[in-house]
Each structure stands twice: as structure tokens, then as C-alpha cells.
């Protein structure tokens, strides 16, 4: 398991790094926990991230994308998705 402690200064980049930290590449664009293990995240203080000028919380939008669609975009190559 991995604990993600959110705070006022956490943006979507920091959250993506926290999500991708404990996972390994499996094949192609598929990523997941090491073989034989499961992946569980505990997220603390979900309502704390900064609200930007458009009224959204980018880190929460990224978390919702991961939960709903089970992928994140690779920040180095925006055309590549990492399926979790």
C-alpha cells in the first residue's frame, strides 16, 4: 500500500508522481504493482488542494481520471497513455 498525504500545495504533477512511484512497467503501455502484489492507495486530506482561478482542483481531477478511466498521460510524451 502507499499513503498519499495531500496538502494545499499539491498539484496534479505531484499527485501523478505519487501514483506512479510504486508501480512497474509490465508490457507496452500497461503499468501495475510488482508481480504477485496488489496496489492500494490511501489518500489523506482530499479536500485540501489549492483551488485554481477556474474553480477546479487539478489534483482531484487527475485522481478522478485515474479512478474512472484507469490511465494517466505520460508527461514526457503527451501522446502516450499509461494504463494502470
Amino acid at each position: 500500500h502507499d499513503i498519499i498525504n495531500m496538502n494545499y500545495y499539491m498539484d496534479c504533477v505531484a499527485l501523478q508522481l505519487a501514483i506512479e512511484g510504486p508501480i512497474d512497467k509490465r508490457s507496452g503501455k500497461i503499468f501495475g504493482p510488482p508481480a504477485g502484489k496488489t496496489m492500494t492507495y490511501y489518500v489523506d486530506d482530499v479536500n485540501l488542494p489549492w483551488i485554481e482561478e477556474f474553480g477546479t482542483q487539478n489534483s482531484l481531477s487527475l485522481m478522478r481520471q485515474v479512478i474512472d478511466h484507469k490511465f494517466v498521460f505520460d508527461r514526457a510524451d503527451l501522446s502516450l497513455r499509461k494504463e494502470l
Side-chain angles (χ1 to χ4, degrees), residues 5-81:
N5 291 313
M6 299 187 86
N7 58 44
Y8 182 77
Y9 301 103
M10 180 171 264
D11 61 353
C12 58
V13 176
L15 180 62
Q16 185 169 348
L17 291 173
I19 290 172
E20 291 178 344
I23 61 174
D24 296 334
K25 186 172 184 174
R26 290 194 175 164
S27 65
K29 297 185 282 184
I30 307 295
F31 290 77
K37 297 193 176 188
T38 59
M39 178 173 51
T40 304
Y41 291 107
Y42 296 99
V43 182
D44 188 23
D45 294 331
V46 174
N47 291 321
L48 282 180
W50 175 69
I51 299 173
E52 68 170 19
E53 62 185 280
F54 302 108
T56 62
Q57 293 172 298
N58 290 331
S59 55
L60 298 184
S61 298
L62 177 66
M63 187 181 313
R64 182 171 180 188
Q65 175 185 336
V66 170
I67 291 169
D68 291 347
H69 304 290
K70 299 189 180 19
F71 74 86
V72 293
F73 287 99
D74 187 355
R75 292 193 176 272
D77 180 9
L78 296 179
S79 64
L80 178 67
R81 311 191 304 189

